[in-house]
Amino acid sequence: QVQLVESGGGLVQPGGSLRLSCAASGSIFSIYPMAWYRQAPGKQRELVADIGRGGTTHYADSVKGRFTISKDNAKNTMYLQMNSLKPEDTAVYYCNTGHWIGSSLIPRRSWGQGTQVTVSS
């Protein structure tokens, strides 16, 4: 079983920045698509950004122009650079892998603990 561990969350003021990291226990980033998700209280988990094994990226409309997803295959680590943070970005952020079914990225059933991001003045 591949284990994914998120880190880098914290409390930041609106307009600030954070960089999240996702470390994998195995060499999977060059084989499978990876993605960042987030879940705010009372809301469904949503896809924030994904990156394919070849490096192709996609972003949710709500974060386009502000967030950047990247990965380092050699280090088995994925990143989410978050700039111009807004209070509505407050959520627990998770990373996961999965597979594509048509145009939908389906994540694995297993999730880690995530990392809390709180944007508040």
Side-chain angles (χ1 to χ4, degrees):
Q1 289 274 51
V2 172
Q3 294 183 353
L4 300 172
V5 180
E6 302 92 342
S7 63
L11 175 63
V12 65
Q13 295 183 349
S17 298
L18 285 173
R19 190 181 75 159
L20 307 184
S21 297
C22 171
S25 61
S27 300
I28 64 171
F29 291 180
S30 64
I31 302 173
Y32 301 101
M34 301 294 298
W36 285 99
Y37 299 80
R38 67 186 181 187
Q39 187 167 24
K43 296 184 178 180
Q44 295 282 355
R45 183 186 297 111
E46 65 173 334
L47 177 64
V48 176
D50 65 79
I51 184 166
R53 65 181 187 180
T56 301
T57 60
H58 303 92
Y59 298 91
D61 288 342
S62 59
V63 307
K64 285 181 179 177
R66 300 188 297 121
F67 291 10
T68 303
I69 187 172
S70 63
K71 64 176 181 175
D72 187 331
N73 292 350
K75 294 182 178 179
N76 295 325
T77 303
M78 180 175 65
Y79 307 96
L80 184 67
Q81 178 66 47
M82 305 185 295
N83 299 325
S84 302
L85 283 162
K86 304 175 180 179
E88 50 263 46
D89 295 318
T90 296
V92 178
Y93 284 71
Y94 304 88
C95 64
N96 210 343
T97 187
H99 64 275
W100 289 97
I101 298 181
S103 61
S104 299
L105 179 61
I106 308 302
R108 297 183 308 160
R109 298 289 290 179
S110 297
W111 297 87
Q113 295 299 306
T115 185
Q116 176 72 50
V117 172
T118 302
V119 184
S120 176
S121 60

